[in-house]
């Protein structure tokens, strides 16, 4: 009989938890402040834009200049 009562209480607890979760489902708020996440997104976007702007010709020029520097150091 005690097992049955404990099982019933646990079932009611789980049901109450599900109901409370459904009631509060639309009230999500982030822990992080809005300014922090916007700054991170802005930085990431600007870095991506910089990468896209470089053409393959610019990359080959950089590689050539690096090779020249290595040869000069030796």
């Amino acid at each position: 009989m005690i097992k049955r009562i404990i099982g019933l209480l646990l079932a009611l607890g789980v049901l109450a938890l599900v109901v409370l979760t459904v009631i509060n489902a639309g009230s999500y708020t982030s822990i992080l402040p809005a300014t922090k996440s916007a700054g991170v997104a802005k930085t990431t976007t600007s870095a991506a834009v910089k990468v896209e702007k470089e053409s393959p010709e610019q990359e080959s020029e950089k590689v050539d200049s690096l090779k020249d520097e290595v040869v000069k150091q030796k």
Side-chain angles (χ1 to χ4, degrees):
M1 184 71 179
I2 293 175
K3 288 182 182 180
R4 198 174 233 177
I5 292 172
I6 292 173
L8 184 62
L9 288 175
L10 287 176
L12 287 174
V14 169
L15 183 63
L17 181 66
V18 169
V19 168
L20 290 174
T21 303
V22 169
I23 289 173
N24 292 327
S27 63
Y28 172 78
T29 55
S30 177
I31 300 171
L32 302 173
T35 57
K36 281 278 189 187
S37 60
V40 171
K42 194 175 198 178
T43 304
T44 307
T45 307
S46 63
V49 170
K50 286 180 184 177
V51 171
E52 290 176 3
K53 286 183 179 178
E54 292 184 6
S55 67
E57 295 152 354
Q58 290 174 337
E59 290 177 11
S60 64
E61 289 174 7
K62 287 182 182 179
V63 171
D64 290 340
S65 65
L66 289 175
K67 286 179 183 177
D68 291 340
E69 288 179 19
V70 171
V71 170
K72 288 179 184 177
Q73 289 177 356
K74 289 183 180 181

